[in-house]
Every structure is written in C-alpha cells, then in structure tokens.
Amino acid sequence: MDPAKLAKLQAAAAANRIGGKGSVRRKIVRKTKPSGAQDDKKLQGALKKLNVQPIPGVEEVNMFREDGNVLHFTAPKVHAAVTANTFAIYGTGHVKELTELVPGILNQLGPDSLASLRKLAESYQAIQQGQQRAAAGEDEDDDDVPDLVENFEEAAKISEDAEKANSLD
C-alpha cells in the first residue's frame, strides 16, 4: 500500500474518532428540575411534626379574600392539627366572585356569617352605584363642551347675541 495514501486515511480516521484511547471527554452537566414531589415531601414532613390528622368528608372549601373574591376548592384533601390551630388544604383552587357562589353557600353560613355577608352585599351595591354615577357624570361633562364650528367668529357673535337677549329678559 502507498504510504501517502495510508497517512491520508489515518489522518481522516483520527479526525472522525468517536471514542477510544486519547479521545476528548465531554462533561455532561445535567440540570435538576425542581419537582413538586420534593416540595410535597418537605411539606408532609413539616405537617407530621405538627401531628396533623386528615379530616374526611369535606366537599368544598371557600376562603373569602379582602378584594371581595372567593378562593374556592372543590373536593379538597383537608388535614388539621387542632392543638396547633393549623389546617392544610390540598387541591386546585379557583378564584371566583362572591356572586357566583352565594346561592350554594347560604346554607353553610352561620348567623354571624350572614350578618357579615349582608354588610358585604351592601358595600358591593354601594360600589356598583358609585361606578354607575361616575359613568353618568362623565356623560354630563361632555354636554358642557360646545361643538366645534368651522367659522369661530360667527359662532362667537351668535353666542354674544344670545347672552344679550337673555340679559334683557
């Protein structure tokens, strides 16, 4: 075999080497993804320290927020530690308006909650009436601005004549 051809083939083989002795090692850095399972295990560990017990038979949980909306859980898992005054609620929560849930939650409310619900409804109505008045007030402000006329001098003369006629009456 021709030595030049052999050297050429060996150079080509060295350039295309995939592995073996003398090949470059590449480090693979694997990024760990934060998994919900790790967080859940930490949470379970913390709850075990508080001696939480599961509460069966909870169909729904409603948490009333300050902005008037409700955080609503359907079929949640509820754990409680009564001695530590701690409750853990698992499930997917949806933010809903109070008006969506009112018919379904009236039978769940006690007498204290009914009074606070009545106050909340009154404040909600007051807010809506205030918004309606503000919208009506904006329309009235538009009436005060005169329409634009192409010839301003004639419009000014007409308005002056109207003012003189009103002052004579």
Side-chain angles (χ1 to χ4, degrees):
M1 186 167 206
D2 186 24
K5 205 174 198 182
L6 181 64
K8 189 176 180 182
L9 285 172
Q10 285 177 344
N16 293 330
R17 185 185 310 172
I18 294 175
K21 188 176 180 182
S23 64
V24 178
R25 287 188 173 203
R26 295 196 175 128
K27 293 181 180 178
I28 298 175
V29 179
R30 296 188 182 187
K31 295 180 181 177
T32 57
K33 295 180 181 176
S35 65
Q38 289 176 346
D39 293 338
D40 195 37
K41 286 180 183 178
K42 289 180 182 179
L43 180 63
Q44 291 293 336
L47 290 175
K48 280 184 181 179
K49 289 179 183 177
L50 294 172
N51 295 327
V52 295
Q53 301 297 323
I55 299 176
V58 177
E59 295 177 4
E60 67 179 358
V61 173
N62 295 314
M63 294 184 182
F64 297 92
R65 296 172 39 174
E66 290 180 5
D67 62 355
N69 293 336
V70 178
L71 185 58
H72 179 73
F73 294 90
T74 53
K77 297 177 183 174
V78 180
H79 291 79
V82 180
T83 57
N85 197 20
T86 304
F87 293 87
I89 300 169
Y90 301 93
T92 56
H94 301 285
V95 177
K96 296 185 178 183
E97 289 189 20
L98 182 62
T99 54
E100 295 177 37
L101 299 172
V102 166
I105 62 173
L106 283 178
N107 60 353
Q108 300 171 6
L109 298 176
D112 299 336
S113 300
L114 284 175
S116 63
L117 182 63
R118 198 172 287 135
K119 289 179 186 176
L120 185 63
E122 289 172 358
S123 65
Y124 185 70
Q125 287 177 351
I127 291 171
Q128 284 185 340
Q129 288 175 354
Q131 289 174 350
Q132 289 174 353
R133 288 179 188 160
E138 291 173 4
D139 294 340
E140 291 173 3
D141 291 341
D142 292 342
D143 293 340
D144 295 342
V145 178
D147 295 332
L148 290 178
V149 181
E150 290 181 20
N151 192 348
F152 294 111
E153 293 175 6
E154 288 180 18
K157 288 180 184 178
I158 292 171
S159 65
E160 287 176 8
D161 293 340
E163 288 178 10
K164 288 179 183 177
N166 288 339
S167 66
L168 293 175
D169 291 336

